[in-house]
Amino acid sequence: MLLIDKLSYSSRLRDKSPVLKAFLAVTTLLMCVAARSVLFSFLVLLLMTGLTVILGGTPVFDYIRLMCVPFAFLLLSTVTILFGISQHEVEEPFIKIFGLFYYFESDKLIFGLQLITSAFGAVTCLYFLSLTTPFTDILRVLQLLRCPTVLSELLLLIYRFIFVLYETAAGITTAQESRLGNRSFRTALKGSTGLFSILFIRAMKKSSSLYDAMEARCYDGTIKVLWEKKKAGKGEIAAVILLVTVLGICSYSLKNIV
């Protein structure tokens, strides 16, 4: 089981209405992106982190470890925005490498700060939804939103095969290491080649076996899943609406303000 899936099933907010959680996450995400405000982004970051860690019970270490992944990508993408490249000498301080002038664009500092904080706030919204809601509940929300059945079934199958491929790859890697594989760069490269080739073959066999099993269970082109009804209480609905309203007022007040 993947870490995100494990955390979502063990979350204290797991049994809450997935529709209500999706509404809160998506609405807050849209406001965070539209406001493009550093202060509002920090407010969203603190709020979603508190809901996920304190109310949901997600371990802080696991949450920080998961947040490090998008932070690294966002930091690298922001750095590329802040630095410019020119073929001619510029007024700003620059470094000349291989005939090109690399310089820091100070006028884009605020834009870069707003961009990275907005993106980071949006990531916390998605993490709140994925770390408190099992994937099958998210698919149920998509079905209620009239998402095409083909798309939701594809998502379900892809999600299922992530676990299959992960478990298969882990087993092959363990077998290679038990035979003293991956001791050096040469053996690791050779082992990776074998891993990918075997993984492809086993994935094809697993998909064929899965289709046979579905056919044996009267598969008619539609995957039927039993859903557990999780209705939201009046107090929860009122609390979410109040929270979204307050956030909407804050986003309007702080819009385009650093």
Side-chain angles (χ1 to χ4, degrees), residues 130-149:
S130 58
L131 294 178
T132 60
T133 312
F135 188 73
T136 50
D137 289 346
I138 296 176
L139 285 179
R140 178 60 176 164
V141 175
L142 291 176
Q143 286 189 353
L144 292 175
L145 293 174
R146 305 298 181 189
C147 177
T149 306

Side-chain angles (χ1 to χ4, degrees), residues 32-46:
C32 185
V33 174
R36 194 62 69 82
S37 165
V38 177
L39 292 176
F40 184 73
S41 299
F42 272 113
L43 177 64
V44 171
L45 190 149
L46 292 176

Side-chain angles (χ1 to χ4, degrees), residues 26-119:
V26 174
T27 308
T28 309
L29 186 151
L30 294 176
M31 286 191 289
C32 185
V33 174
R36 194 62 69 82
S37 165
V38 177
L39 292 176
F40 184 73
S41 299
F42 272 113
L43 177 64
V44 171
L45 190 149
L46 292 176
L47 174 66
M48 289 300 166
T49 302
L51 290 175
T52 308
V53 175
I54 298 174
L55 285 185
T58 302
V60 177
F61 177 75
D62 289 333
Y63 188 76
I64 294 175
R65 190 169 55 154
L66 289 171
M67 291 296 285
C68 287
V69 179
F71 180 74
F73 284 102
L74 291 175
L75 188 63
L76 288 174
S77 59
T78 305
V79 167
T80 57
I81 293 173
L82 296 179
F83 287 87
I85 304 174
S86 175
Q87 294 180 341
H88 307 286
E89 190 170 344
V90 293
E91 296 180 356
E92 290 84 358
F94 60 83
I95 299 175
K96 187 177 181 182
I97 302 176
F98 298 120
L100 295 175
F101 297 91
Y102 296 85
Y103 61 97
F104 176 72
E105 296 183 89
S106 57
D107 55 330
K108 291 185 178 179
L109 180 61
I110 301 299
F111 173 73
L113 193 61
Q114 290 174 335
L115 185 64
I116 190 171
T117 53
S118 300

